[in-house]
Amino acid sequence: MDRIDFLRAELRKHDHLYYVEAQPIISDREYDALFRELQDLEAAHPERITPDSPTQRVSGTAINTFNSVRHATPMLSLANTYSRAEIEQWVGRVIQGLEGAPVEFVCELKYDGLALSIVYEHGMLSRAVTRGDGESGDDVTLNVRTIKSVPLALAIPSLSSPSATAPSTNTNEQLQFFTSEPNDHDQSTAPEHIVNRFEVRGEVYMLDDDFLKLNAEAEERGDKLFANPRNTTAGTLKQKDPRDVAKRRLQFVAYWVDAQADASTRGFGSTHQRNLDALRTLGFPVGREVRICRNVDEIMQCIDEWDAQRDSLPFQIDGVVIKVNSLAQQDQLGSVARAPRWAIAYKFEAKKAQTVLTDITLQVGRTGVVTPVAELQPVSLAGSTISRATLHNEDFVHELDLRISDTVIIEKGGDVIPKIVSVVLEKRKPDAQPWHMPTHCPCGNHSPLHRPEGEANYYCTHSSCPWQIRRRLEHFAGRDAMDIDGLGERAIDQFVQAGLLTNLADIYDLPSRRAEILALDRWAPKSVDKLVAGIEKSKSQPFERVLYALGIRFVGEGVAKIITRAFPNIDAIAQASEQELTAVHEIGARIAQSVVEFFADPTEADLVHRLQQAGLQLHSTSTIASDAFKGLTFVLTGELTTFTRREAQEAIEARSGKASGSVSKKTNYVVAGANAGSKLDKAQELGVPVLTEEEFRAMLDASV
Ligand code: IVH
């Protein structure tokens, strides 16, 4: 096994541990270093690139049309019911159909996503197709390849595990994956019917958290919101650019397999449960909540438990699926009208409640977006008390024709967020008036609200809207950003009101304003000490967090990480043009424009300057750690504009290169800034390659 094979095997193992087992054993940084090394090796040896390489998940080609593909066997749907009595009747019919033979059931979660079929040929993912009408669906292969929990190559049980049909006891270290450069030894252990053609079906879905994040971003942009994780998943699978799909973090769970062995043993074993175990062994994510039930009582108990616990799952389910475990018995029962007789779905009711809309208030976000919010008479729904619900924007309120004092229905069904779904018109008060968006921001500055052409959002036009400042401060001090202990919502509110905080940089002056803080309600020497310590500690937060904390529009945590890896410090970012920013992989025009606008604003520039003075980490520290420059010696000379000498040196060392003071034959590169003198001459004399600062930067970017 050479280095390329080794890196691929390692990356597949870590993908599996991270995305399927949710138990990563290395840091993101270590993973990135392995990934980068493989990318570099593949760039140097393009003939070695294979479609199943971990670097080949995300294709850069856009999809023009989704071709329709016929399923080898129709994708059936499930009979479903909201009634327990009907579940009992179904169990009766199954027993009758099997002429009283003993029967075992498997209860699984009914994932609220989209059904997908994935075909593997010779162990390699060859095609992924949506359910469509059950007979044929859309070819979404390029998009599905980006789902990290979907293996591009099947894992085959290693020699140490007894057989593919045995329940999965082998640990991840024992997973081996097919490679497209077959190795006879590996393939001989794989059952032939898996090697040739193998179809797995399951559900694509999205985690609630990922959905909420996506919607928050859409809301901030003033884009149309996604209704629920399921719709978002459907929309995502139909994206034309696989790179956009990769960003949305879809999940997959397998629940059916067809390995075309022989008719008596569809899949791998004689039961559904064994098939699931085998799927797990082959590297697929399989629901962990699968349970064997022997009778109606056990099935009901399972349904009750999931109905009660569904809110504690990190994703949406809309019921429980009950299946006959024995595959022979499944065949015996057969199917009717596009649904198998051997399975049924028990569906949970969407959770609804009625309450009164007492008011519509406005909320100001950190970028100035002003959103209407429904103030509700508190009501209990799906385990929590609801007293507010976002109304998103003016159009949303008008579409529902919501009026203050209306009785409304709120729902928390396939959706994560409680939302108002309708008005009970019979209960409308005769004097209820249609609602209009106020013309001015609630910030008290009499600043008019402005709705830009083509956007659904209104913005406060006041440059120092205190509500916007509060939101910005909350974001800055928040757990994901600077994580300042002692500076929560309440403290921020107090400090803004007292005039102690008018912008982000004022935070770092708070320690010198002890007496003023102590004069405020609820502040004592001890709590001030805690605050001061929290502020002090935040100064060591890494650059990427600081950049994120600034609250630049479209610069979320991920983008902040990418930017801080591509530029050595905040000055370099501030000076970068839109072009230079978009040259960085994954930074699009919208982000670039927003960054440029931010730093062009003198108020923001001043703010950044003050934060710099306060001692925040506004430059990259040498923690990138890769081997990209191993064995290379650089000499820096002349004046560099976007780095200090030390930062440039650190960037070289972080990539395992050497920065030397004098030019010799052993020097690989001389980086020459303005007014370079004798070292540049010497380099030219010895024929050592000379890099401009931009070329050097590009080299650093290419090797993060
Ligand atoms: S089995 C012939 N198992 O529910 C059996 N389906 O309403 C086919 N679904 O189209 C499906 N979770 O998209 C099965 N654990 C599960 C499921 C599941 C969700 C979806 C699937 C199917 C739909 C039918």
Side-chain angles (χ1 to χ4, degrees):
M1 194 194 269
D2 69 358
R3 186 76 187 159
I4 289 184
D5 293 330
F6 170 78
L7 289 168
R8 287 179 184 162
E10 280 293 292
L11 287 164
R12 286 183 185 123
K13 180 176 93 184
H14 294 301
D15 275 343
H16 184 84
L17 286 169
Y18 189 101
Y19 293 101
V20 181
E21 308 284 335
Q23 275 173 354
I25 54 171
I26 58 170
S27 68
D28 288 1
R29 190 153 265 151
E30 286 167 301
Y31 180 93
D32 290 348
L34 293 173
F35 194 89
R36 186 61 75 158
E37 188 186 346
L38 178 59
Q39 268 182 328
D40 290 346
L41 283 171
E42 287 180 345
H45 306 278
E47 74 286 355
R48 293 286 311 275
I49 297 178
T50 59
D52 63 318
S53 170
T55 59
Q56 304 299 306
R57 274 199 183 270
V58 186
S59 129
T61 28
I63 305 165
N64 290 324
T65 47
F66 294 96
N67 292 328
S68 175
V69 177
R70 216 177 163 72
H71 298 296
T73 34
M75 286 184 82
L76 302 179
S77 69
L78 289 174
N80 64 60
T81 175
Y82 289 92
S83 140
R84 281 159 200 257
E86 283 184 18
I87 295 289
E88 211 170 326
Q89 287 158 15
W90 173 79
V91 171
R93 284 199 302 279
V94 166
I95 292 173
Q96 201 180 15
L98 298 173
E99 293 160 0
V103 56
E104 218 173 50
F105 300 93
V106 183
C107 287
E108 288 171 17
L109 298 184
K110 182 160 162 36
Y111 288 78
D112 196 8
L114 270 94
L116 186 77
S117 145
I118 314 177
V119 173
Y120 288 78
E121 284 172 324
H122 307 290
M124 239 58 76
L125 190 158
S126 72
R127 192 136 75 178
V129 182
T130 61
R131 176 171 181 277
D133 60 7
E135 293 293 334
S136 43
D138 288 335
D139 184 335
V140 287
T141 312
L142 289 182
N143 285 346
V144 169
R145 285 176 63 91
T146 70
I147 305 176
K148 294 281 189 87
S149 57
V150 170
L152 294 179
L154 292 180
I156 50 168
S158 72
L159 295 173
S160 51
S161 91
S163 86
T165 54
S168 162
T169 48
N170 62 334
T171 61
N172 317 301
E173 277 72 21
Q174 289 169 313
L175 284 181
Q176 296 180 7
F177 288 82
F178 279 88
T179 67
S180 45
E181 293 143 34
N183 153 339
D184 291 342
H185 165 73
D186 281 354
Q187 290 226 343
S188 65
T189 63
E192 197 167 341
H193 60 277
I194 306 178
V195 174
N196 291 337
R197 187 182 180 282
F198 166 92
E199 178 176 357
V200 58
R201 292 179 183 174
E203 201 82 351
V204 193
Y205 64 101
M206 189 176 262
L207 295 179
D208 294 348
D209 271 352
D210 290 330
F211 163 72
L212 290 171
K213 264 192 209 147
L214 214 61
N215 245 0
E217 285 164 18
E219 180 142 30
E220 192 164 298
R221 285 196 301 270
D223 285 354
K224 215 170 148 46
L225 296 182
F226 302 100
N228 54 46
R230 184 177 187 284
N231 286 3
T232 317
T233 305
T236 303
L237 275 181
K238 289 299 183 65
Q239 291 287 313
K240 305 248 164 183
D241 188 342
R243 285 172 296 197
D244 291 334
V245 183
K247 282 185 214 148
R248 296 235 188 130
R249 292 158 64 85
L250 295 177
Q251 312 288 327
F252 180 72
V253 61
Y255 52 61
W256 188 85
V257 58
D258 181 7
Q260 293 193 341
D262 59 77
S264 63
T265 55
R266 268 206 331 268
F268 305 93
S270 55
T271 65
H272 176 64
Q273 191 189 25
R274 279 183 176 262
N275 276 354
L276 293 182
D277 284 330
L279 281 173
R280 189 176 289 129
T281 313
L282 286 168
F284 291 96
V286 172
R288 295 188 181 260
E289 304 80 4
V290 174
R291 194 186 302 172
I292 297 286
C293 294
R294 282 175 186 79
N295 52 47
V296 177
D297 286 347
E298 287 180 12
I299 293 173
M300 293 302 166
Q301 198 182 337
C302 187
I303 289 176
D304 284 340
E305 280 173 28
W306 284 117
D307 201 1
Q309 284 175 54
R310 60 191 283 211
D311 294 326
S312 62
L313 290 166
F315 47 82
Q316 293 294 302
I317 58 170
D318 57 346
V320 170
V321 183
I322 306 128
K323 300 174 178 172
V324 169
N325 195 15
S326 151
L327 301 183
Q329 289 184 335
Q330 287 187 2
D331 286 344
Q332 204 179 331
L333 289 162
S335 54
V336 61
R338 313 242 130 261
R341 285 201 194 86
W342 48 263
I344 192 165
Y346 177 83
K347 298 245 280 181
F348 299 139
E349 294 284 353
K351 309 223 164 146
K352 287 184 198 226
Q354 239 185 53
T355 187
V356 174
L357 177 70
T358 53
D359 199 4
I360 296 178
T361 54
L362 295 184
Q363 191 174 304
V364 188
R366 71 184 151 87
T367 53
V369 179
V370 180
T371 324
V373 179
E375 304 291 338
L376 303 164
Q377 224 164 58
V379 60
S380 153
L381 177 67
S384 51
T385 303
I386 314 294
S387 56
R388 304 185 89 201
T390 176
L391 294 170
H392 310 302
N393 53 50
E394 184 184 35
D395 298 345
F396 183 87
V397 181
H398 289 166
E399 273 159 32
L400 286 173
D401 183 23
L402 270 186
R403 303 179 184 196
I404 293 167
S405 82
D406 273 351
T407 298
V408 293
I409 307 278
I410 58 171
E411 195 177 287
K412 209 163 143 187
D415 310 18
V416 192
I417 326 154
K419 61 170 190 188
I420 298 187
V421 287
S422 59
V423 174
V424 186
L425 285 175
E426 304 82 68
K427 294 194 180 176
R428 173 165 283 170
K429 301 238 169 72
D431 58 346
Q433 295 299 315
W435 181 82
H436 295 289
M437 187 79 184
T439 50
H440 288 77
C441 181
C443 67
N445 287 315
H446 305 292
S447 28
L449 292 179
H450 167 66
R451 180 174 176 172
E453 184 91 13
E455 271 198 43
N457 283 336
Y458 277 89
Y459 293 85
C460 175
T461 48
H462 198 282
S463 62
S464 53
C465 165
W467 285 103
Q468 190 176 333
I469 290 168
R470 276 187 183 84
R471 293 291 102 74
R472 240 185 120 175
L473 286 161
E474 281 162 21
H475 169 77
F476 185 88
R479 186 142 357 124
D480 304 337
M482 302 302 280
D483 193 15
I484 305 180
D485 224 16
L487 196 58
E489 252 177 70
R490 207 164 66 181
I492 288 174
D493 192 44
Q494 273 184 310
F495 295 158
V496 170
Q497 282 197 37
L500 286 168
L501 290 182
T502 58
N503 61 42
L504 302 182
D506 287 349
I507 293 175
Y508 295 91
D509 293 339
L510 286 175
S512 65
R513 306 183 73 170
R514 203 180 167 87
E516 285 157 279
I517 298 175
L518 280 169
L520 298 173
D521 246 13
R522 290 188 305 256
W523 285 94
K526 240 191 170 152
S527 49
V528 180
D529 288 346
K530 188 176 142 208
L531 173 69
V532 171
I535 292 172
E536 196 51 43
K537 197 166 147 223
S538 76
K539 292 183 184 167
S540 54
Q541 290 289 6
F543 186 24
E544 62 195 49
R545 280 215 186 206
V546 184
L547 185 67
Y548 167 65
L550 288 176
I552 304 170
R553 215 168 167 211
F554 310 135
V555 180
E557 285 171 271
V559 170
K561 211 182 237 179
I562 294 166
I563 297 181
T564 52
R565 287 188 187 184
F567 295 89
N569 54 44
I570 197 91
D571 294 329
I573 301 173
Q575 284 163 27
S577 64
E578 281 184 38
Q579 240 169 4
E580 283 166 313
L581 283 158
T582 46
V584 178
H585 182 56
E586 290 208 83
I587 302 299
R590 211 188 48 204
I591 300 172
Q593 190 188 351
S594 166
V595 171
V596 169
E597 275 172 13
F598 180 90
F599 288 101
D601 181 336
T603 321
E604 304 293 7
D606 180 56
L607 180 91
V608 169
H609 180 70
R610 281 181 61 199
L611 292 175
Q612 229 160 0
Q613 303 276 304
L616 269 62
Q617 302 291 324
L618 287 164
H619 55 84
S620 299
T621 42
S622 55
T623 45
I624 297 165
S626 83
D627 279 337
F629 291 177
K630 204 177 179 129
L632 298 182
T633 303
F634 291 75
V635 172
L636 301 161
T637 181
E639 295 155 20
L640 302 176
T641 55
T642 57
F643 303 80
T644 62
R645 193 55 79 77
R646 190 160 155 218
E647 283 163 352
Q649 199 173 326
E650 282 176 349
I652 294 168
E653 283 162 3
R655 291 161 179 78
S656 312
K658 230 173 89 184
S660 154
S662 58
V663 182
S664 75
K665 270 192 284 190
K666 286 189 186 149
T667 310
N668 297 88
Y669 296 103
V670 168
V671 180
N675 305 320
S678 63
K679 289 183 193 170
L680 176 58
D681 297 340
K682 180 98 187 259
Q684 276 155 353
E685 193 185 307
L686 293 173
V688 173
V690 176
L691 301 174
T692 62
E693 189 174 348
E694 289 78 60
E695 289 167 331
F696 176 57
R697 163 83 79 58
M699 213 164 149
L700 292 176
D701 286 354
S703 63
V704 177

